[in-house]
């Protein structure tokens, strides 16, 4: 074969073009979410639209500064300041959490969530990737607004350090609300609608509180967020714990049923209670009482969703606990899925909260809400705990009713609350119908509402409240017998399999 007829060597394929938009050490879920999120209409439209609005307002403010009248300069400055913080609040506190509220639902509708679970990505990496991605986009929106903050420094004599502190405050609130949105994106549609309404009401209240701070009025609120060095660590501490709860709740919506995240969810309110005695020891009584009541509200919020759960434990979830000794068994009984385990945990956590409340209020007996207030606080804790346990007892007694357990549970809270309001209205109306009010003052959950607002009640009502609360809790623990028998059956099967030399059954 001569050289003219020889076949030319095959051409080698060009090397693949590897995109370098993100470094390789970033988590793959975060890179995926950033690539998708930065191209969505929600992010691009928000970025471009708010930039155009702020550009027009800045030109108006600059033109007003060149006018000779002081009233025109003050009006332009007020308009620029108001729109700057309003746009920043909408970006951080409404748009970003709203995008999170549909994050998991988009994965479920696109049938990509199961594919993500089948990869090496676990539920934690999926949720954290989405949360960090949304926060990164919020930071980009915030950075894009900072040039207008510099302009306000020259036009309005704004304090840059104070303004940056307020921006950090809004970013922290955005992190908490975004985590709450990710949790809500994995629940039922009706619950998402209710969460969106609750988030809107919350944002109206937050903006009403932050408004004086942004405008420089309102006393203490007008100061820098870094002015009170004692309150700031507690605020950061509480925000971190709330964010952790929402994130682990979002993980529970994505994780397989065999994974158990109940311990981490339930332990957060207990850990949130610990700073209260330390604040009291260092003389910050008001801060200690505030932390005490915040932890109580957090504990009640967590128990609401834990007691509404009708999940049953699986053998692997209990096996790791009972094989490690008595102390591990005790912890395991309080950290398994299902309302019976949440009931046991709630009883222990409520008793611990009452003990801490007595210690905090007794350290400052002369202060408002001191030692004399401790028995009333303990009584409120008993009524509150029995009130949120009562719907779980209804669930266990009405298992054959074809109604959603969650709907049944929250109906057991909403109906007594509604009847309490109706009975109070009838008692204060021109008919003076007080019999229904006296009855509702002793019923579960409504007794807590009446005791929370009433200063003095008759001894007969108080005794009836205690009797009803003890009966509800006794019936609740009685209804958990089948749950604990199931755990004993898990142990018996594992023991029989171990004696036979076989692997434990799942």
């Amino acid at each position: 074969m001569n050289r003219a007829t020889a076949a030319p060597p095959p051409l080698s394929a060009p090397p693949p073009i590897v995109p370098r938009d993100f470094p390789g050490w970033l988590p793959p879920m975060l890179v995926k979410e950033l690539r998708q999120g930065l191209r969505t209409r929600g992010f691009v439209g928000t970025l471009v639209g708010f930039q155009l609005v702020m550009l027009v307002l800045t030109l108006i403010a600059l033109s007003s500064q060149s006018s000779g009248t002081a009233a025109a300069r003050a009006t332009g400055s007020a308009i620029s300041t108001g729109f700057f913080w309003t746009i920043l609040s909408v970006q951080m506190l409404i748009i970003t959490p709203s995008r999170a509220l549909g994050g998991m639902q988009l994965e479920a509708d696109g049938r990509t969530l199961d594919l993500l679970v089948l990869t090496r990505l676990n539920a934690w990496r999926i949720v954290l990737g989405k949360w960090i991605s949304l926060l990164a986009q919020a930071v980009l929106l915030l950075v894009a607004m900072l040039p207008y903050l510099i302009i306000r420094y020259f036009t309005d004599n704004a304090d840059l350090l104070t303004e940056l502190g307020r921006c950090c405050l809004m970013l922290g609130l955005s992190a908490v609300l975004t985590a709450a949105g990710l949790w809500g994106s994995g629940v039922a549609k009706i619950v998402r609608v209710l969460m969106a309404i609750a988030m809107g009401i919350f944002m109206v209240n937050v903006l009403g509180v932050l408004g004086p701070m942004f405008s420089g009025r309102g006393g203490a609120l007008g100061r820098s967020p870094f002015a009170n060095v004692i309150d700031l660590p507690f605020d950061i501490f509480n925000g971190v714990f709330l964010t952790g709860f929402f994130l682990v709740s979002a993980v529970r919506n994505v994780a397989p049923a065999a994974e158990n995240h109940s311990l981490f969810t339930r332990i957060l309110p207990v850990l949130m209670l610990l700073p209260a005695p330390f604040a009291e020891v260092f003389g910050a009584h008001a801060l200690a009482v505030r932390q005490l009541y915040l932890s109580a509200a957090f504990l009640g919020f967590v128990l609401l969703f834990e007691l509404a759960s009708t999940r049953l434990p699986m053998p692997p979830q209990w096996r790791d606990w009972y094989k490690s000794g008595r102390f591990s068994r005790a912890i395991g009984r309080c950290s398994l899925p299902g309302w019976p385990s949440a009931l046991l945990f709630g009883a222990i956590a409520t008793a611990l909260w009452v003990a801490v409340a007595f210690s905090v209020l007794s350290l400052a007996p002369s202060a408002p809400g001191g030692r004399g207030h401790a028995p009333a606080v303990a009584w409120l804790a008993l009524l509150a705990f029995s009130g949120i346990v009562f719907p779980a007892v209804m669930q266990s007694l009405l298992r054959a009713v074809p109604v959603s357990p969650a709907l049944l549970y929250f109906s057991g809270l909403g109906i007594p609350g509604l009847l309490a309001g109706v009975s109070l209205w009838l008692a204060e109306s021109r008919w003076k119908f007080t019999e229904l009010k006296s009855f509702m003052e002793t019923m579960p959950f409504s007794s807590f509402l009446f005791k929370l607002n009433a200063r003095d009640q008759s001894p007969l009502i108080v005794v009836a409240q205690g009797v009803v609360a003890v009966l509800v809790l006794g019936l609740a623990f009685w209804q958990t017998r089948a749950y604990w028998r199931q755990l004993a059956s898990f142990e018996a099967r594992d023991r029989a399999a171990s004696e036979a030399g076989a692997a434990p059954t799942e």
Side-chain angles (χ1 to χ4, degrees):
M1 181 182 298
N2 55 20
R3 184 176 301 177
T5 60
L11 296 176
S12 59
I17 300 176
V18 180
R20 298 292 183 182
D21 51 352
F22 294 101
W25 51 266
L26 286 178
M29 187 65 189
L30 175 59
V31 174
K32 166 189 171 296
E33 290 297 322
L34 284 175
R35 285 174 176 167
Q36 292 179 351
L38 294 177
R39 298 171 183 172
T40 58
R41 295 181 180 177
F43 177 80
V44 176
T46 301
L47 180 63
V48 175
F50 286 163
Q51 289 290 323
L52 292 177
V53 172
M54 283 306 303
L55 180 60
V56 173
L57 292 174
T58 301
L59 293 176
I60 294 175
L62 290 175
S63 63
S64 65
Q65 292 297 321
S66 61
S67 63
T69 61
R73 289 195 297 269
T75 302
S77 176
I79 292 175
S80 175
T81 301
F83 270 94
F84 176 81
W85 289 113
T86 300
I87 289 176
L88 204 59
S89 301
V90 171
Q91 286 181 355
M92 299 289 105
L93 306 180
I94 296 179
I95 293 180
T96 301
S98 299
R99 293 178 63 194
L101 198 58
M104 294 298 179
Q105 190 62 33
L106 291 176
E107 298 284 357
D109 294 341
R111 300 182 182 274
T112 59
L113 190 58
D114 293 337
L115 296 177
L116 291 175
V117 174
L118 289 176
T119 63
R120 296 181 180 179
L121 299 176
N122 55 21
W124 269 107
R125 297 178 69 181
I126 293 174
V127 172
L128 287 178
K130 286 183 172 292
W131 181 65
I132 297 174
S133 170
L134 290 170
L135 281 188
Q137 296 172 49
V139 170
L140 289 176
L141 293 174
L142 179 61
V143 171
M145 298 291 290
L146 290 183
Y148 301 102
L149 185 62
I150 305 298
I151 295 176
R152 290 187 61 248
Y153 171 75
F154 292 102
T155 59
D156 303 336
N157 295 323
D159 187 354
L160 288 182
L161 183 60
T162 302
E163 303 285 293
L164 289 175
R166 291 167 182 169
C167 291
C168 293
L169 172 63
M170 297 185 66
L171 187 60
L173 288 174
S174 178
V176 178
L177 293 176
T178 302
L182 284 176
W183 168 47
S185 65
V187 298
K189 185 175 182 180
I190 182 64
V191 180
R192 293 201 306 274
V193 173
L194 294 176
M195 285 190 64
I197 296 174
M199 189 178 295
I201 297 174
F202 174 77
M203 290 315 307
V204 169
N205 293 317
V206 167
L207 293 177
V209 173
L210 295 181
M213 182 181 72
F214 293 153
S215 61
R217 303 186 301 271
L221 286 176
R223 299 179 300 172
S224 168
F226 303 108
N228 197 334
V229 295
I230 298 178
D231 291 355
L232 182 63
F234 280 77
D235 295 335
I236 296 176
F237 180 84
N238 295 330
V240 168
F241 273 68
L242 282 175
T243 304
F245 168 76
F246 290 132
L247 288 179
V248 74
S249 300
V251 169
R252 294 174 71 176
N253 294 334
V254 180
E259 295 185 11
N260 182 23
H261 301 276
S262 300
L263 177 62
F264 186 73
T265 305
R266 298 173 187 176
I267 202 65
L268 288 177
V270 178
L271 296 178
M272 193 174 178
L273 177 64
L274 297 180
F278 292 99
E280 187 62 51
V281 168
F282 287 101
H285 177 73
L287 188 60
V289 173
R290 189 193 72 167
Q291 188 68 22
L292 190 69
Y293 291 139
L294 281 177
S295 63
F298 190 24
L299 177 62
F301 181 74
V302 171
L303 288 179
L304 283 179
F305 292 94
E306 292 296 309
L307 291 170
S309 174
T310 56
R311 292 180 57 190
L312 294 176
M314 297 182 179
Q317 295 172 344
W318 175 236
R319 183 181 302 126
D320 295 335
W321 291 106
Y322 79 81
K323 285 188 175 181
S324 301
R326 293 184 178 180
F327 182 72
S328 178
R329 289 168 63 95
I331 297 178
R333 288 179 178 272
C334 298
S335 61
L336 291 174
W339 76 268
S341 176
L343 173 66
L344 181 60
F345 166 79
I348 297 174
T350 303
L352 178 63
W353 185 89
V354 170
V356 174
F358 265 89
S359 65
V360 168
L361 299 177
S362 298
L363 287 174
S366 60
R371 184 180 300 167
H373 193 59
V377 169
W379 189 252
L380 275 173
L382 174 64
L383 296 181
F385 182 59
S386 63
I388 62 177
V389 168
F390 176 69
V393 178
M394 291 177 51
Q395 278 185 340
S396 64
L397 295 176
L398 302 176
R399 286 177 295 183
V401 178
V403 179
S404 170
L407 178 61
L408 185 61
Y409 179 87
F410 287 103
S411 298
L413 290 178
I415 293 176
L418 180 62
L419 291 178
V422 172
S423 64
L424 184 61
W425 175 76
L426 290 175
E428 295 179 352
S429 65
R430 61 187 181 89
W431 297 287
K432 303 298 180 183
F433 185 74
T434 59
E435 286 77 6
L436 180 60
K437 177 177 177 292
S438 301
F439 176 75
M440 294 306 299
E441 282 184 302
T442 63
M443 290 295 99
F445 191 67
S446 61
S447 61
F448 165 73
L449 298 178
F450 277 107
K451 187 64 178 178
L452 192 63
N453 298 310
R455 296 183 179 179
D456 297 322
Q457 289 180 326
S458 65
L460 183 60
I461 294 293
V462 174
V463 171
Q465 288 176 347
V467 171
V468 171
V470 171
L471 288 177
V472 168
L473 294 178
L475 181 59
F477 279 102
W478 178 264
Q479 288 295 109
T480 61
R481 294 172 300 148
Y483 185 90
W484 306 120
R485 284 199 298 264
Q486 185 177 15
L487 296 185
S489 69
F490 293 161
E491 297 182 27
R493 280 190 294 176
D494 287 352
R495 194 178 302 112
S498 177
E499 293 175 354
T505 59
E506 298 297 326

